[in-house]
Amino acid sequence: MRLSLIIPKWPIGSLWGQIFFRFPYLSVTTLAGLTNDAWDVSIIDENVAPLDFSSLPDLAAISIMTPLAPRGYEIADAFRSKGVTVALGGIHPTMMREEAKAHADAVVIGEAEQVWPQVLRDFRQGVLKPFYQATDYIDLAGFPIPRRDLLSPKGYFFKNTIQTTRGCPFDCEFCSVTSFYGRTYRTRPVDDVIREMGHMEGGFVFFVDDNIVGKTSYAKDFFRALIPLRVKWFSQASLTIVKDKELLDLAERSGCKGLFIGFETLSQESLKEMGKSMNRAAEYQDAVKMLHDHGIGIQGSFIFGTDQDEPRVFSDVLRFIEKVHLEAALFSVLTPFPGTRIRDTLQKENRILHNQWEKYDMNHVVVQPKKMTPRELQDGLYWAYTRLYGYGSILKRLFPFNKNSFFYGIQNIGFRQGWKKTLKSTTEARRTQRKETSD
Ligand code: SF4
């Protein structure tokens, strides 16, 4: 029996589809680790290698995030027309189960790991059900080793992605983490994580947690266990990390070289509206300094298009990023993903412009902002990204150079190239659209 685990490609015009700074998705390597030896398993990530429709599996399982849904459905329909059974799972099918079912023989709702062995068993016995829903949030103890050996040898910046926790104790209104994982914050036994790291190649490690410091006592134990391994690691964390000096010291000593941190906005009013009041905008500058003083680089995340944002927000945020020397940043426009509280609010206010899921990539405006036009928001995002990844800003942000500058220099160049390609494809798409309209 042949099983293909598939990640669809990102749409044209999305920054994520263009950057070479790619990491493998743990969802498919973990499911491969849970699949027994009776199966011949392959992993196909369309973002690094094309999908070959001439070689058909018995079962195709496609993992889908919202902006990848149209391509995921296209792949599913193509396989089903050739007689291949298709299962869909991931965050988008979980939130949009009936929509997904129209393209699949089975839809996995919630965390797939709990029901995956059942899906495989039912398929082999010819009794596949339309829906499989995990009844509880799974215990992360004793997780299988993800099958990194099945990943394409080329196309990833590095393959060492690993998870230590799931979920987040916070509940920001735009974020789907809590709607997917519930208000649970689960941790893997430290020994399990350390054991799994023994199966990885040397070099950098990326802990793909939603918030690696969601439970301080666990994070401290884990960082202590990392110290003798002498690895260099990156992860995502809430800014609350700077509130605990011991935690920050341990992060540094354990090899933390960079954190992805959601600043989101410089407006405390917007933070309040987002349900992210644990961030204090007035303390951002000091927080960044504390992280830098511990040798930790920062990739900041900012959202444009909140109800408080006026057209000057783009230059304000850019000025802040350069002033505090953030090594890198990612910008998003406010995106109401299915399952989030912001989607309910904007729906009630009739401000969602459309449900073209390929545009839900955080680079395209899909809601009506309050204090700007959609075009102003879209053009503002393009302006901010173009400035951020211009050489002037890169140099300004990375100067004075330190031990992390080489890594972040490469990352910035990667984002610069990716952004230029994104802009080019977007300009071409706009030109084609104008031509079609005038014809
Ligand atoms: S802190 Fe981050 S991961 Fe947690 S709910 Fe907010 S945005 Fe999501």
Side-chain angles (χ1 to χ4, degrees):
M1 284 279 173
R2 292 181 62 205
L3 166 69
S4 290
L5 296 161
I6 298 164
I7 301 285
K9 69 179 163 210
W10 279 82
I12 294 167
S14 286
L15 176 60
W16 289 111
Q18 303 290 359
I19 50 177
F20 70 75
F21 220 79
R22 285 200 191 92
F23 309 108
Y25 293 86
L26 262 183
S27 54
V28 282
T29 48
T30 303
L31 287 190
L34 275 168
T35 304
N36 66 41
D37 292 343
W39 290 85
D40 176 9
V41 188
S42 61
I43 291 178
I44 303 139
D45 178 350
E46 267 203 303
N47 298 288
V48 300
L51 191 53
D52 178 5
F53 284 100
S54 65
S55 160
L56 298 179
D58 298 288
L59 175 65
I62 309 173
S63 176
I64 298 185
M65 293 187 288
T66 296
L68 314 189
R71 176 61 185 160
Y73 295 158
E74 202 172 77
I75 296 170
D77 294 346
F79 271 135
R80 292 178 87 203
S81 72
K82 292 170 188 285
V84 175
T85 301
V86 171
L88 298 182
I91 197 155
H92 190 77
T94 294
M95 302 302 166
M96 304 295 296
R97 57 191 74 179
E98 294 300 336
E99 176 191 287
K101 182 65 188 69
H103 304 272
D105 299 289
V107 176
V108 175
I109 298 162
E111 292 178 301
E113 293 93 342
Q114 193 187 56
V115 293
W116 186 240
Q118 181 72 45
V119 173
L120 295 178
R121 242 185 340 264
D122 286 359
F123 172 76
R124 288 175 71 99
Q125 290 168 6
V127 291
L128 200 64
K129 298 182 195 63
F131 295 102
Y132 289 84
Q133 179 151 20
T135 48
D136 204 352
Y137 296 105
I138 53 164
D139 185 347
L140 301 185
F143 240 48
I145 305 289
R147 293 284 309 273
R148 298 184 182 86
D149 58 303
L150 295 176
L151 293 169
S152 164
K154 289 187 186 152
Y156 295 111
F157 188 67
F158 63 81
K159 292 184 186 171
N160 288 346
T161 52
I162 180 169
Q163 192 168 40
T164 72
T165 66
R166 265 191 196 176
C168 178
F170 303 113
D171 186 17
C172 305
E173 67 162 1
F174 58 85
C175 179
S176 27
V177 166
T178 304
S179 51
F180 190 70
Y181 292 125
R183 295 210 69 152
T184 62
Y185 187 76
R186 286 161 290 155
T187 57
R188 287 179 74 190
V190 169
D191 288 347
D192 281 11
V193 182
I194 300 297
R195 202 173 310 119
E196 186 180 325
M197 288 176 70
H199 291 257
M200 292 171 26
E201 296 163 7
F204 296 112
V205 177
F206 184 24
F207 297 114
V208 289
D209 298 29
D210 299 306
N211 182 358
I212 199 167
V213 296
K215 186 175 177 191
T216 307
S217 56
Y218 174 83
K220 286 181 181 176
D221 286 347
F222 179 54
F223 295 166
R224 281 189 197 100
L226 280 181
I227 292 171
L229 303 187
R230 303 176 68 82
V231 291
K232 291 184 172 131
W233 64 269
F234 299 85
S235 190
Q236 311 191 93
S238 53
L239 211 46
T240 49
I241 188 173
V242 303
K243 303 276 177 212
D244 188 323
K245 176 83 174 67
E246 186 189 25
L247 182 65
L248 202 50
D249 287 343
L250 283 167
E252 178 184 10
R253 287 174 54 211
S254 64
C256 180
K257 294 296 164 196
L259 290 173
F260 180 89
I261 289 183
F263 294 86
E264 320 305 3
T265 166
L266 304 179
S267 154
Q268 196 60 42
E269 187 60 27
S270 292
L271 287 167
K272 191 171 157 210
E273 286 170 6
M274 287 174 180
K276 196 152 189 164
S277 296
M278 71 279 192
N279 274 17
R280 312 297 304 170
E283 295 168 8
Y284 279 175
Q285 191 169 346
D286 290 342
V288 169
K289 185 170 181 326
M290 285 173 81
L291 287 157
H292 280 164
D293 287 349
H294 284 77
I296 298 172
I298 303 164
Q299 180 164 315
S301 164
F302 295 85
I303 297 174
F304 294 131
T306 70
D307 285 355
Q308 305 300 323
D309 284 352
E310 296 178 5
R312 54 172 290 187
V313 69
F314 308 103
S315 52
D316 286 350
V317 167
L318 196 74
R319 207 173 305 114
F320 167 79
I321 290 172
E322 291 177 351
K323 182 175 154 196
V324 301
H325 298 266
L326 287 197
E327 283 79 356
L330 280 176
F331 298 141
S332 315
V333 287
L334 185 68
T335 305
F337 289 109
T340 57
R341 285 189 289 120
I342 189 71
R343 186 169 181 86
D344 296 340
T345 307
L346 291 170
Q347 239 159 4
K348 277 187 206 126
E349 295 174 2
N350 206 17
R351 289 170 58 198
I352 296 183
L353 300 176
H354 59 73
N355 286 332
Q356 295 165 27
W357 300 130
E358 72 277 10
K359 302 283 188 210
Y360 278 59
D361 62 351
M362 297 172 289
N363 290 169
H364 289 91
V365 176
V366 297
V367 301
Q368 176 68 48
K370 258 202 176 148
K371 295 184 178 173
M372 285 183 254
T373 64
R375 188 59 190 257
E376 278 176 315
L377 177 55
Q378 188 68 72
D379 288 348
L381 176 88
Y382 289 155
W383 177 87
Y385 253 141
T386 304
R387 286 287 300 266
L388 179 74
Y389 289 111
Y391 286 126
S393 180
I394 294 174
L395 280 174
K396 210 181 280 180
R397 289 183 287 104
L398 296 188
F399 192 80
F401 301 125
N402 58 38
K403 280 189 281 185
N404 290 338
S405 299
F406 180 69
F407 174 85
Y408 283 105
I410 293 175
Q411 191 193 35
N412 272 272
I413 297 299
F415 275 115
R416 179 185 161 81
Q417 286 176 353
W419 179 245
K420 284 178 92 169
K421 283 191 207 162
T422 305
L423 214 49
K424 193 167 165 227
S425 60
T426 305
T427 311
E428 277 164 11
R430 274 187 179 178
R431 202 175 293 138
T432 310
Q433 200 179 25
R434 265 203 304 274
K435 191 167 178 310
E436 282 169 2
T437 314
S438 65
D439 285 350

